[in-house]
Amino acid sequence: MNVVILAAGMGKRMQSALPKVLHPLAGKPLLRHVIDTARNLSPSKLCVIYGHGGAAVPEMVGKLAEQAGVTIDTALQQPQLGTGHAVMQAVPQLDESVPTLVLYGDVPLTTAASLGRLVEAAGTDKLAILTVEQANPFGLGRIVRENGNIVRIVEEKDASEAERAIREINSGIMCIPTAHLKRWLAALSNNNAQGEYYLTDIVAQAVADGVPVVSAQPSAEWEVAGVNSKVQLAELERRHQLNIATTLLEKGVTLMDPARIDVRGELVCGRDVVIDVGCVFEGRVELADGVTVGPHCVLVNATIGAGAQIKPFCHIEDAVVGDKSQIGPYARLRPGTELGEDVHVGNFVEIKNSQVAAHSKANHLAYVGDATVGSRVNIGAGTITCNYDGANKFRTVIEDDAFIGSDSQLVAPVTVGKGATLGAGTTLTKDAPAGKLTISRPKQLTVEGWSRPVKTKK
Ligand code: UD1
Ligand code: CA
């Protein structure tokens, strides 16, 4: 099968410099949703028709094709003279021995299952249209039937009053025998209310040529909903998020409110996972069995081990959290953080590019960057690894069972030996030996006989 995705329209109502089909839904460009769905159908040819927005659309498509190791053709439609004219741009790419499926780059949520039914209805020799009965069909092309058979499609602007009363609409998605399609496209005229080459006019040609025209229906109306404005984009985003939330609920995840979760990527959950309101998941996030995520957390490309608790307001990115660990509230785990089992990271603690082994704790106000921290280490409040000298970064090593007193600065590169203790307020510039107390603070002094100054009278 050939797939042609129409994505040349300018999307004026988006009021944006970004081409419409590159606006994200669930963190992924609209067009990317359509390409991903199309790829599920294993097309032999995939061609995207672009126009507005310069090189941005073909660049995105090129990158995607490279990542996936597939070929995706692009063809420029300039100027944009209608949907029929758009498909004409793909003609040189189309393999005549298989049907052509036409999709829209701004209709992101059509399921592969519905498209599969459409393709099946078309077989090798029929024209199949994905149609929907809509309560409010205003603005859309209407499916005109005689004795139950589709005879043509009429656009809103060209329709008679009787035709406007028809509620079965053209989604725009069609599957067409390719050799016929090429012929029909060549015969299109723009003699209509909009002066455009309508793809929909091929339907009447098919009927005239005795090619059967059939229809298939999607499972839900939103599957064929297009995005023309930010309002419609927001509506489809909510619809998509609700679909994701429903799938999670069906798999046994507890969502405190299915209307208040945003998944912009892939969220994989074990059993008995609980997610509170307002959380955002981006990229690939894995929550193992029994994980709880408190309200208003952002997790990006993260793996959270079984039984771990993520308390409210945490930001976790490119990080691994071990089983039974407790994170937050208000913790930030930055890229390269790897926490072992039962690690406690408390409020206003930032960890970056560091490994922290089992049972270690940094409970309050600390920065741990470029560090290797052993097991059962206690990092006191206000501890900072000084990992950066303004030009280069250095590592801090804290061995097992060390105790770092509050408000210490570890000036890297530096090592705290096994079981070592740093007194509070230590500025560590040389290695602290194992098992001993190291302290850099001046000795405490009390001045006898000292009294506070008093104000002198003028
Ligand atoms: C089209 C259909 C209409 C259908 C409706 C569904 C035609 C003539 N009409 O309406 O029957 O109910 O879609 O939304 O086909 N595009 C291009 N190049 C162009 C024009 C459009 O690539 O020159 C792309 C757009 O980017 C969009 C899609 O085609 O993805 C549909 O275009 P749009 O203008 O939204 O649809 P209509 O022509 O109004
Ligand atoms: Ca549209």
Side-chain angles (χ1 to χ4, degrees):
M1 176 177 54
N2 309 293
V3 173
V4 178
I5 301 175
L6 307 190
M10 79 153 146
K12 208 166 141 197
R13 286 162 62 199
M14 296 299 278
Q15 313 267 16
S16 167
L18 188 69
K20 175 164 78 175
V21 292
L22 297 187
H23 281 263
L25 180 122
K28 182 165 101 170
L30 293 171
L31 177 58
R32 173 103 201 249
H33 285 267
V34 182
I35 292 174
D36 287 351
T37 307
R39 289 193 49 223
N40 269 327
L41 304 167
S42 312
S44 46
K45 278 252 163 17
L46 181 51
C47 182
V48 174
I49 311 299
Y50 71 99
H52 277 274
V57 172
E59 264 168 25
M60 185 279 265
V61 172
K63 251 185 233 157
L64 174 58
E66 200 185 298
Q67 270 169 23
V70 294
T71 306
I72 305 176
D73 294 315
T74 53
L76 175 66
Q77 184 199 17
Q78 193 67 268
Q80 285 95 43
L81 303 177
T83 49
H85 180 252
V87 177
M88 284 178 207
Q89 314 310 309
V91 162
Q93 323 272 6
L94 301 181
D95 176 357
E96 279 188 30
S97 66
V98 288
T100 297
L101 175 65
V102 175
L103 302 175
Y104 287 0
D106 57 1
V107 178
L109 298 184
T110 323
T111 63
S114 295
L115 293 178
R117 285 202 300 280
L118 180 76
V119 170
E120 198 166 311
T124 54
D125 57 352
K126 295 189 278 295
L127 194 172
I129 309 166
L130 198 63
T131 76
V132 159
E133 289 271 343
Q134 242 168 250
N136 178 13
F138 180 78
L140 297 164
R142 309 297 206 284
I143 306 292
V144 182
R145 291 182 185 258
E146 281 170 14
N147 305 317
N149 300 315
I150 298 173
V151 292
R152 62 199 170 87
I153 295 175
V154 63
E155 293 304 299
E156 171 86 29
K157 287 187 177 138
D158 301 291
S160 66
E161 202 156 321
E163 288 165 338
R164 283 189 192 143
I166 298 171
R167 299 198 311 151
E168 187 184 10
I169 62 95
N170 169 34
S171 69
I173 296 172
M174 298 184 190
C175 188
I176 312 147
T178 304
H180 287 307
L181 172 65
K182 290 188 179 178
R183 224 162 16 84
W184 295 333
L185 287 174
L188 286 182
S189 89
N190 63 351
N191 184 16
N192 51 52
Q194 304 183 79
E196 286 184 2
Y197 295 92
Y198 292 166
L199 177 63
T200 45
D201 284 350
I202 66 169
V203 174
Q205 291 192 62
V207 172
D209 284 355
V211 173
V213 180
V214 297
S215 67
Q217 282 69 43
S219 311
E221 206 176 303
W222 49 258
E223 284 198 37
V224 298
V227 172
N228 297 300
S229 65
K230 290 286 173 76
V231 172
Q232 290 171 344
L233 180 62
E235 282 168 1
L236 276 196
E237 177 80 42
R238 283 307 103 208
R239 163 47 63 189
H240 184 55
Q241 292 300 340
L242 203 55
N243 292 345
I244 294 171
T246 304
T247 307
L248 290 168
L249 291 169
E250 283 166 355
K251 286 184 177 157
V253 178
T254 300
L255 301 178
M256 299 317 287
D257 182 355
R260 283 185 286 169
I261 177 172
D262 285 84
V263 180
R264 300 175 192 149
E266 198 187 352
L267 175 59
V268 184
C269 294
R271 287 173 82 84
D272 299 308
V273 166
V274 178
I275 301 172
D276 213 322
V277 300
C279 293
V280 178
F281 299 91
E282 290 179 15
R284 187 183 160 88
V285 175
E286 280 180 56
L287 307 178
D289 294 354
V291 167
T292 63
V293 183
H296 305 292
C297 291
V298 178
L299 278 74
V300 184
N301 298 319
T303 302
I304 312 296
Q309 272 181 281
I310 312 297
K311 294 174 185 173
F313 304 107
C314 289
H315 191 281
I316 300 178
E317 182 177 5
D318 290 312
V320 177
V321 172
D323 295 356
K324 302 195 195 87
S325 287
Q326 296 197 27
I327 312 300
Y330 298 104
R332 179 164 185 215
L333 305 183
R334 289 173 53 203
T337 296
E338 286 172 38
L339 309 183
E341 196 184 322
D342 180 39
V343 168
H344 292 199
V345 176
N347 37 239
F348 307 107
V349 172
E350 174 180 344
I351 304 186
K352 184 214 77 172
N353 190 29
S354 296
Q355 294 76 47
V356 181
H359 315 294
S360 288
K361 297 185 170 92
N363 273 331
H364 335 263
L365 304 155
Y367 173 60
V368 178
D370 301 309
T372 305
V373 179
S375 297
R376 297 171 304 277
V377 167
N378 194 310
I379 296 177
T383 297
I384 289 173
T385 54
C386 308
N387 59 328
Y388 185 50
D389 62 6
N392 298 298
K393 298 211 168 119
F394 302 95
R395 285 199 80 80
T396 298
V397 177
I398 304 174
E399 295 179 349
D400 294 349
D401 300 297
F403 181 97
I404 312 298
S406 297
D407 200 27
S408 292
Q409 300 97 50
L410 312 181
V411 183
V414 75
T415 296
V416 178
K418 193 168 165 18
T421 300
L422 298 195
T426 291
T427 300
L428 193 72
T429 50
K430 290 181 288 220
D431 292 354
K436 293 186 176 159
L437 171 66
T438 298
I439 190 163
S440 73
R441 187 180 341 142
K443 276 217 172 89
Q444 186 166 319
L445 175 80
T446 302
V447 179
E448 298 298 338
W450 179 85
S451 56
R452 285 190 196 168
V454 287
K455 224 172 187 168
T456 46
K457 282 195 185 125
K458 282 181 189 156

